[in-house]
Amino acid sequence: MSRNDDLPASLPGLIMTRARWEGCTNFIGGSWQRAASGQTLPMINPADGQVIDTISRSSSGEISRAIKAARSALDDGEWSRLHPVDRGRLLMRISEMIRAHTDRLAALEAGDTGKPLSQATHDITATARYFEFYGGGVDKLGGETIPYLNDHDVRTRREPHGVTGHIIPWNYPAQIYARTLAPALAMGNAVVLKPAEEACLVTLALTELAREAGLPPGSLNLVTGTGEDAGAALAAHPGLDFLSFTGSPTTGTRIQSAAARNHIDCTLELGGKSPQIVFADADLERAIPLILNGIIQNSGQTCSAGSRLLVQDEIAPEVLARLQHAFERCVAGPPDLDPDLGPLISARQCERVNGYLSACNDDHVVARGTIHPEASDAGFFVPPTLLSGLEPSDPLMQDEVFGPVLSCMRFADEADAVRLANGTDYGLVAGVWTCDGARQTRIANALECGQVFLNCFGAGGGVELPFGGVGKSGHGREKGLEALRQFSRLKTIVQWTG
Ligand code: NAI
Ligand code: MG
């Protein structure tokens, strides 16, 4: 089954030159393999609809082999014998190699997802930063001693879960790969990752870089395929000790049900309908570009996109006029032109976003951007769109559209703003724009979500910042040192000292 002999020395080199490699895209127990069935899936360039590569369409057999490889890495492999500081150094080495290959990885990510080249480059920089941050974090998180009875000594110990399963989406393949794998590896777990079938070439290149960096066999395994097949098999596998998922609420429910059947814990990051709340005293010079960026970044296909604009009555006309101007100047185009935004990921995602827009009365449309004349008609482009005058119950104010669509409503006062902001099933992030310091604190405390930005908006924010949702946005915290807690379990040791 191993096809290492047939492959050139550097798989990233192969992938990046887009040479044919016959769907040999599973990395199991330290070697590249293809699915036993021989079936493949096409990878499509969203900017022109053309097939750029193929990946293995794997199923439960490949998943079982990957979990077995991970288990043996933990039981008696080289991985189980590494000191924490050596694990950290390995992650740092991966980070350095990612940095050294930034341009090629960014080109690969841009071709696969359609995102503008500068955005893809930023994503690769963040990807390297994850491995650096968690490489440095490996030896920083200890247990504690607990005062108890005089003749007993109590300490806690952080241990890896064991074999962790990771299912990631297509919107930020490189970043989310690093966000979920780096802390899991840092804590000494052995991982099995199933990337998204819509965009995953960069995850293969990153995995090959990790192999070249010296990550021991079985510590990191990757299996490509569809969600319904390989994804469901991974989530349901009884050999898993923990699951980490980023994607839709519908799939999140399936993941959590599968985890429950195996009595394991999971983290779910399921997106949002995050509000940007603009008060009459806001610094609009600062706010407007960041509000625009918060919805056009990655064409709105960002879990933490600021997709709901809540504006205080008295400045609504001015805010809408400024945003109208900004939206009308935005151009969607192919990645190599480095436009304001790229295409959506797929024809399906395009239909979903256009479905929301066509169900909405034209009277609500305040502004639309344009599509670059050089953009292919076969690409999945949707111009950025600003809507206003919607009701709180409108699907455009409630649902995660996952496109470059900003829906606006007005509010009267602070209480009204908080009520509207908290008035969806989601709760991931929020932006608050006001110069009143006491109000900033009141609102930040009242918002039901995982991250609040005061006079700034990070759309996900830095690697250092704990991140995660409430309600339909999911549960658990990733990023920051919190992720090291999520990817480990606590043992309490009580010793009688006589
Ligand atoms: P999805 O949740 O179906 O896919 C995400 C990942 O889950 C992919 O790797 C997929 O292969 C896998 N998956 C799908 N079905 C599965 C199953 N039954 N068992 C195990 N794994 C499975 O999301 P999809 O269909 O790509 O996008 C639909 C909507 O979800 C988007 O329009 C958007 O609103 C939301 N979404 C949110 C994301 C976020 O960052 N939170 C990322 C991607 C999508
Ligand atoms: Mg799906």
Short mmCIF file of all heavy atoms in Angstrom, two decimals, residues 17 48 133 182 207 319 464 467 487:
data_model
loop_
_atom_site.label_atom_id
_atom_site.label_comp_id
_atom_site.label_asym_id
_atom_site.label_seq_id
_atom_site.Cartn_x
_atom_site.Cartn_y
_atom_site.Cartn_z
N THR A 17 3.74 22.11 -7.86
CA THR A 17 3.86 22.22 -9.32
C THR A 17 2.64 21.60 -9.99
O THR A 17 2.56 21.52 -11.20
CB THR A 17 5.13 21.53 -9.82
OG1 THR A 17 5.12 20.19 -9.34
CG2 THR A 17 6.38 22.24 -9.38
N ASP A 48 -12.11 29.50 -11.44
CA ASP A 48 -12.47 29.21 -12.84
C ASP A 48 -13.21 27.88 -13.01
O ASP A 48 -13.49 27.47 -14.15
CB ASP A 48 -11.24 29.26 -13.75
CG ASP A 48 -10.18 28.23 -13.36
OD1 ASP A 48 -10.50 27.32 -12.56
OD2 ASP A 48 -9.04 28.33 -13.86
N PHE A 133 3.88 29.10 18.52
CA PHE A 133 3.26 29.38 19.83
C PHE A 133 3.14 28.10 20.66
O PHE A 133 3.53 28.07 21.83
CB PHE A 133 1.88 30.01 19.60
CG PHE A 133 1.14 30.37 20.87
CD1 PHE A 133 1.39 31.57 21.51
CD2 PHE A 133 0.20 29.50 21.42
CE1 PHE A 133 0.71 31.90 22.69
CE2 PHE A 133 -0.47 29.82 22.59
CZ PHE A 133 -0.22 31.03 23.23
N ALA A 182 -1.57 21.73 16.22
CA ALA A 182 -0.37 22.13 16.98
C ALA A 182 -0.57 21.95 18.49
O ALA A 182 0.29 21.36 19.15
CB ALA A 182 0.04 23.56 16.62
N THR A 207 1.60 18.59 5.98
CA THR A 207 1.88 17.29 6.58
C THR A 207 3.22 16.75 6.09
O THR A 207 4.01 16.19 6.86
CB THR A 207 0.74 16.30 6.24
OG1 THR A 207 -0.47 16.84 6.78
CG2 THR A 207 0.98 14.92 6.81
N VAL A 319 -23.63 56.18 8.66
CA VAL A 319 -22.92 54.89 8.58
C VAL A 319 -23.24 54.18 7.27
O VAL A 319 -22.36 53.67 6.57
CB VAL A 319 -23.27 54.01 9.80
CG1 VAL A 319 -22.77 52.59 9.61
CG2 VAL A 319 -22.68 54.61 11.07
N GLU A 464 -2.85 33.97 20.10
CA GLU A 464 -2.74 33.99 21.56
C GLU A 464 -4.11 34.03 22.26
O GLU A 464 -4.19 33.78 23.46
CB GLU A 464 -1.97 35.24 22.02
CG GLU A 464 -0.58 35.39 21.45
CD GLU A 464 -0.56 36.03 20.05
OE1 GLU A 464 -1.64 36.20 19.45
OE2 GLU A 464 0.53 36.33 19.56
N PHE A 467 -10.58 31.33 21.94
CA PHE A 467 -11.61 31.55 20.92
C PHE A 467 -12.59 30.38 20.94
O PHE A 467 -12.18 29.22 21.03
CB PHE A 467 -10.91 31.62 19.56
CG PHE A 467 -11.82 31.73 18.37
CD1 PHE A 467 -12.54 32.89 18.14
CD2 PHE A 467 -11.96 30.68 17.48
CE1 PHE A 467 -13.37 33.01 17.04
CE2 PHE A 467 -12.78 30.78 16.37
CZ PHE A 467 -13.49 31.96 16.16
N PHE A 487 -6.77 20.05 24.97
CA PHE A 487 -6.17 18.85 24.39
C PHE A 487 -5.41 18.02 25.43
O PHE A 487 -4.49 17.28 25.09
CB PHE A 487 -5.28 19.22 23.21
CG PHE A 487 -6.10 19.50 21.97
CD1 PHE A 487 -6.24 20.78 21.49
CD2 PHE A 487 -6.75 18.47 21.31
CE1 PHE A 487 -7.02 21.04 20.37
CE2 PHE A 487 -7.53 18.71 20.19
CZ PHE A 487 -7.67 20.01 19.72
#
